[in-house]
Structures are given as structure tokens and as C-alpha cells.
Amino acid sequence: MECKTTGLLTLSPIQPTWWQQGVIYQIYLRSFQDSNGDGIGDLAGVIERLDYLSHVLGINALWLTPFYPSPMADGGYDVADYLDVDPRFGDLATFDRLISEAHARDLHVIIDYVPNHTSDQHPWFVQSRSSHDNIRHDWYIWADPRPDGSPPNNWLSVFGGSAWSWDTTRQQYYLHSFLPQQPDLNWRHPAVKAAMFEVLRFWLERGVDGFRIDVAHFLMKDPSLRDNPPNPSMSPTFWRSFGAYDSQLHLYDHAHPDVHHIYRELRQLLESYSQQQPRVSIGELYRPDMGAWATFYGRDLDELHLPFNFRLLATPWNALAIRQSVDELEAVVPTGAWPNYVLGNHDEPRVASRLGHAQARVAMLLLLTLRGTPTLYYGDEIGMQNVSIPPEHLDDLWERNLPGLNLGRDQERTPMQWDNSTHAGFCPPEVNPWLPIIQIDTQHNVVAQLTNPSSMLSLTRRLLQLRRTYPALSIGNYRAINTNMEDCFVYMRQNGPQRLLIALNFAQVEQELHLIEWDTGRILLSTHLDREGQVDLAHLTLRGDEGCIIGI
Ligand code: GLC
């Protein structure tokens, strides 16, 4: 069968900025590098590893998960003070040093901003719950019980149970979309918005390059607190089953259209700081309807720079489905807006465990060659796998609240495997890391893989190097290519005269592609890292689990 090109051709930005050209590396701070021997990763540990990120790996932006003072009910996504650093992770002076050391290496720093909820230990909530007369009494979402004493409506917490908890002092319920220890802020109150925008200014003044906005769509709810309708089919609200949470259609408890006003204002704030140093906003958004997802760019591209795109996590791993997913995304991203792709994060099972090591290499090639900013989860560059955590070490309350549903996230949050020593070089041998490193073997660590020319790390480094060498890979246009093999996904990236074909085999067996639109090409990289040079594109053989980048 002949190969044809689709009509879909997407265009490069005219003046790409750092967050369009570069690659974001997510650091799950608790697990990256412990510098002070307490078994918990910290900011000084990240500073120690900056050379790895910039010189060895070659990424240009890092995203730090929360480092704020926190009781750690939800791994730091329960913030007790937005304007400081938890002593576990360091202090403000260390944070400032991290920014300047990162910037000195051309690394941009994105921090987590957690606007939907605070910790129940945050002084704002302590005041709010203290009395109806307190100055902050309406900074959170309080409501009276129904006549029978039950919660004000049927909304559910993502982490299990009702989204409402009773407060004995106020004799009212407060809303928590996640844990009871994470009360939702009332963003309809102008003083709340002002205070939370001050938080952004505080960190912008300290030099951060952008924010990853936690559950960005949750900020606005139905003001009249209507009940959610039932979802009799129990179809997943997002892309995998969340248990009883999926028994409702979540029409009213998040993503009220008013949320867009917030992001328009937030964007203006970022723009006012972007003259010298362009800053970026990245929203964590779970909107399975791609049209609804795309609205977060803003009607005039005046909201979020990048609404996180989790489709690679949600799509079945086969060539057809992945191509459809990419094409749908390309079709829905507004003209002038910029796509992005995520392959793993601290809320999702490890990609190497989900797909197996061989396909994880194909997945890495895909992530780093699609049009859009890739986000790479720490450890995926060495093929880290889920670690099974014994019950006595479980940290994630989601797992403890809803055991047996496979919702726990500790498995993908274990310490980075730097070397082959006890605790993998994450913390001193005599200290217990906060989560155990159990499945350590001799291969899945940075030191071993650096000297192995065919390792996952060697592949990732080579891919990142090619992205820097060939602008077609970072900012080029994207065009899907129809092929004769249904297990293969082929696309072209083009920037001016520079054209690269990406050919991915999702099957374990060999495939012969007939790409007769071109005669010969030059293999620049195979995921097997064992071949380069001239190939006949009319008879291009891809081995099982092989992906190639081919210059044409
Ligand atoms: C986001 C975070 C997740 C956290 C939740 C509640 O989804 O990524 O880790 O538990 O928000 O803050």
C-alpha cells in the first residue's frame, strides 16, 4: 500500500521561547537527593544534582514539587505557609541559591503552586474555623447542614468519602475536594484571590520562571452548590477508575466557567513579570473532553500557556490509538497555542512498569519528538519501575483510604536510583529513606547506565542531544504519515528545509514499512542504539520495539 500524508499540517511558532523549545524535568523533591542525611530529598540535594540535569542529561527546565511548610498529609500538597520553605527541604536562602545556581546553568525553575486548597493547619483556615466573626470566616467554602444534619450536598472527595467535613466550633461543614486536611479556598472572595496572587508575586520576585498549577480546574465550583447527577455507567471521571467518585457526573463540584476569569488575571500578572524573563503557567487539568481542555488556553490565548496534556497516559498503547490521540490534540490546540505531552508523573504508575522496558524506549522517543513541550518524570530516563511498598511503609493516604483499587502513588515516588550503593546514593547508607528502595538491581541506576552505551539513559541523552541539534524536533511542524503497517506510527517533523521522519514500531515483531514517498533516508538514531546511516525507505525494516529518527 502506498504511503500518503494527511491534510493535517501544524505550524511552528515564529519566535519560540524557552518553554516551547525545551524539555521540562519533574523533580519529586522528597525523592531526588537527600543532602543532610534525614532520608528525605531536599533543595540542597537538587543543587548538588544540577550538573547532572544540565550537563549530563541536557534538559533546560525543572519543575519542583511542593517544598512549602506542610504537615505532609498529601505529600506537601497541603500547604501551611505559601511564603516559606519547610525545614525538611531547606530554607529561603537555599531556595534563592537554587534559583541562581540553576540560572547560571541555563536551567529554568518552575515551582508547584497549590491554589485550590491549603492545609487545615494554615493560619487562614485556623482563623476561618475559629468563629463566624473572624475576618477570614468566609475564606473557605462553609455551608450549613441539610435539615437532617447531613452534608450540604452530595459532592464526593477525590480521595474517598464525602467532600464535606463537620466542624464542631462553627457547627458547619467545610468543603474539601481532596483530604479533610485540605480545605478548599473560596476563590470567589476577592481577598482570597488577592492573597493568592501575592503568593505568585513573592515567588516571581525571587526569580522563578513559572508555575505548575495544581488541579487548576478545581478552583471554581457551582456557587449554589447543586448536587451532582448520578453516573449510572460508572464510566471513569478521568481515565481510570476512582471507585465511588465515578458514581457521579462531576458537573458542579469543579471547572465552573468562572475559573477562566482567574486564569486571565493570572496570565496578566505573569506577563507583567515577563519583559526580561518570560514566565510560564502550566495547569494540571483533567478534562477528558479535549474541547473543554483547550478552553484553558483562553479564547484569545490569554489564559494558561500550557494546560497539561495527559493523553499519553490515558491512551491504550498501540500505534493507531496513539496516532489518533496525537492527531486529535493537534486538531484541538488553537492556532498560535503550543501543545505539550506528559509520559509520567508522581500521580501515575511508572511508564517502564506500564509498558515494559522495551516499549518504554519507544515511548521516550515519542515523548521527545512530538510537537510540543515534553515533561519527563525523574527516573524515567533510567527506566525506573514501580516499587511495591510494604503496608507498614505506605505514605499515600489515598491508598490507605481506598485500599485495593490500585490508587496508591507511593510506588512511583521512590528515591532516585543514582548508583549501586545501599539506598542507591539517595541518602547515606545508615539512614532509612522515607520510602524504601526495594527492587534495586545493578542496571537501573545512573552510574551503571552512564557507562553502558545502549542503556535507557544513553538513549535519553542522545534524544535530548538530537532535539538540541535539530530544531525540527523541538519547534518543527508535525504531519502524520499513513503507512502499510498498523502497528507502526510514522510522522514527520519539519523546520524549513530540515525534515525528519519518526517511525515507531509498537509491536514486538519486525515490520516492513513501504514509505515510497521518499527513496532513501539516513537513520540518525534507533531506540536500540545500534544502527545509523543510509536506509531504503521503500523497504524500511523496524525490528520489534524499535523506533527510529530518520533524516530525509
Ligand atoms: C494534584 C497533585 C496530587 C495531589 C492532588 C491534591 O493532583 O498532583 O499529587 O494529591 O493534586 O492536591
Side-chain angles (χ1 to χ4, degrees):
M1 213 210 303
E2 285 189 13
C3 67
K4 291 187 200 126
T5 52
T6 64
L8 186 68
L9 176 68
T10 51
L11 299 174
S12 324
I14 296 159
Q15 277 187 318
T17 183
W18 65 267
W19 53 265
Q20 293 175 307
Q21 273 175 309
V23 175
I24 300 171
Y25 183 91
Q26 182 189 351
I27 292 182
Y28 191 68
L29 182 59
R30 293 199 286 176
S31 288
F32 199 57
Q33 179 66 61
D34 171 20
S35 76
N36 60 353
D38 61 1
I40 302 170
D42 48 46
L43 295 176
V46 175
I47 297 174
E48 284 174 21
R49 295 295 185 180
L50 287 177
D51 283 339
Y52 167 76
L53 297 174
S54 62
H55 303 330
V56 178
L57 202 52
I59 52 95
N60 76 331
L62 53 98
W63 149 32
L64 289 175
T65 54
F67 48 76
Y68 312 103
S70 164
M72 290 282 163
D74 184 24
Y77 286 94
D78 47 324
V79 178
D81 180 355
Y82 289 104
L83 306 181
D84 206 347
V85 173
D86 192 292
R88 290 180 191 92
F89 300 126
D91 52 24
L92 281 172
T94 316
F95 182 85
D96 292 342
R97 192 157 64 84
L98 170 54
I99 293 280
S100 62
E101 296 253 1
H103 285 173
R105 292 167 177 81
D106 278 335
L107 288 170
H108 297 85
V109 180
I110 297 163
I111 64 171
D112 232 302
Y113 175 62
V114 190
N116 180 64
H117 42 264
T118 68
S119 159
D120 62 349
Q121 307 297 306
H122 195 295
W124 297 343
F125 189 68
V126 173
Q127 290 175 22
S128 191
R129 79 190 315 178
S130 67
S131 90
H132 287 265
D133 305 324
N134 187 275
I135 186 173
R136 299 214 161 86
H137 71 101
D138 49 359
W139 276 41
Y140 292 81
I141 301 175
W142 292 96
D144 291 329
R146 282 189 278 210
D148 65 356
S150 63
N153 66 21
N154 70 352
W155 294 357
L156 296 170
S157 152
V158 175
F159 289 159
S162 169
W164 298 93
S165 282
W166 178 248
D167 184 80
T168 47
T169 309
R170 279 189 58 150
Q171 295 288 303
Q172 276 188 311
Y173 283 95
Y174 67 89
L175 181 72
H176 51 86
S177 300
F178 295 87
L179 296 172
Q181 297 93 319
Q182 294 169 296
D184 284 28
L185 280 164
N186 175 14
W187 271 82
R188 294 186 183 276
H189 194 313
V192 168
K193 192 175 73 187
M196 288 304 290
F197 276 27
E198 270 313 304
V199 170
L200 295 168
R201 283 194 194 91
F202 177 87
W203 295 104
L204 289 165
E205 297 284 348
R206 293 197 110 86
V208 304
D209 298 285
F211 300 95
R212 175 268 187 191
I213 304 167
D214 191 61
V215 288
H217 54 315
F218 267 75
L219 268 53
M220 285 290 191
K221 296 93 167 131
D222 179 38
S224 50
L225 306 181
R226 274 173 284 182
D227 273 349
N228 281 326
N231 176 22
S233 74
M234 290 291 284
S235 54
T237 311
F238 305 120
W239 61 83
R240 55 192 171 99
S241 169
F242 277 14
Y245 192 74
D246 297 329
S247 67
Q248 297 181 353
L249 295 171
H250 292 272
L251 297 190
Y252 298 122
D253 51 354
H254 60 248
H256 187 279
D258 289 348
V259 76
H260 294 286
H261 298 304
I262 297 175
Y263 292 119
R264 272 195 286 278
E265 276 190 56
L266 186 144
R267 176 66 172 266
Q268 282 167 16
L269 176 63
L270 289 199
E271 295 298 339
S272 72
Y273 278 88
S274 293
Q275 265 67 48
Q276 308 296 326
Q277 182 187 346
R279 323 274 183 137
V280 70
S281 52
I282 309 175
E284 186 205 17
L285 289 168
Y286 296 96
R287 308 298 290 155
D289 169 351
M290 290 310 281
W293 171 84
T295 61
F296 282 84
Y297 283 108
R299 207 173 304 137
D300 299 316
L301 302 188
D302 53 357
E303 296 184 32
L304 298 173
H305 294 94
L306 299 175
F308 255 147
N309 161 30
F310 297 123
R311 303 266 297 189
L312 290 183
L313 300 168
T315 308
W317 197 254
N318 65 68
L320 192 63
I322 294 289
R323 175 187 166 165
Q324 265 171 7
S325 169
V326 173
D327 284 354
E328 272 169 40
L329 185 93
E330 285 284 356
V332 85
V333 170
T335 309
W338 189 242
N340 72 93
Y341 291 89
V342 174
L343 197 57
N345 63 33
H346 63 293
D347 295 324
E348 293 297 323
R350 285 275 180 190
V351 65
S353 296
R354 192 162 68 91
L355 307 179
H357 284 302
Q359 278 297 313
R361 295 172 79 103
V362 174
M364 185 65 84
L365 197 159
L366 177 77
L367 175 74
L368 296 179
T369 58
L370 284 171
R371 190 182 79 101
T373 306
T375 297
L376 180 58
Y377 187 46
Y378 85 99
D380 281 353
E381 75 272 28
I382 54 168
M384 269 175 68
Q385 284 177 288
N386 293 337
V387 172
S388 131
I389 308 292
E392 66 276 17
H393 287 297
L394 284 179
D395 179 79
D396 188 6
L397 288 180
W398 197 4
E399 172 67 22
R400 290 207 240 149
N401 287 350
L402 300 172
L405 294 180
N406 211 13
L407 295 170
R409 299 165 295 174
D410 294 327
Q411 58 178 3
E412 64 260 17
R413 297 176 173 180
T414 57
M416 178 68 176
Q417 295 162 195
W418 295 104
D419 61 36
N420 218 356
S421 65
T422 310
H423 306 323
F426 165 72
C427 64
E430 66 281 5
V431 169
N432 282 331
W434 77 279
L435 274 182
I437 313 172
I438 291 173
Q439 289 165 338
I440 184 147
D441 59 30
T442 53
Q443 273 314 299
H444 289 103
N445 65 72
V446 171
V447 168
Q449 294 201 11
L450 270 180
T451 51
N452 174 352
S454 59
S455 67
M456 181 73 175
L457 183 56
S458 297
L459 172 66
T460 310
R461 293 177 70 198
R462 184 90 184 91
L463 282 167
L464 289 166
Q465 196 184 26
L466 283 175
R467 268 184 76 91
R468 288 192 301 277
T469 314
Y470 291 89
L473 288 179
S474 53
I475 55 162
N477 306 332
Y478 159 89
R479 182 158 62 105
I481 312 289
N482 292 335
T483 76
N484 55 315
M485 301 307 289
E486 64 177 25
D487 283 327
C488 294
F489 175 25
V490 180
Y491 50 96
M492 188 163 77
R493 301 295 313 279
Q494 175 166 9
N495 187 48
Q498 191 176 84
R499 294 188 307 169
L500 298 175
L501 275 183
I502 318 297
L504 306 171
N505 181 2
F506 283 67
Q508 282 75 60
V509 292
E510 186 176 292
Q511 315 274 331
E512 188 181 293
L513 285 166
H514 301 158
L515 303 173
I516 57 171
E517 195 174 328
W518 306 276
D519 23 323
T520 56
R522 189 166 58 89
I523 295 190
L524 302 174
L525 172 140
S526 151
T527 45
H528 293 19
L529 293 173
D530 62 354
R531 62 164 166 162
E532 285 177 18
Q534 209 77 356
V535 275
D536 175 5
L537 291 173
H539 302 279
L540 172 67
T541 302
L542 290 181
R543 290 164 286 172
D545 300 312
E546 185 178 28
C548 288
I549 303 180
I550 303 163
I552 49 172

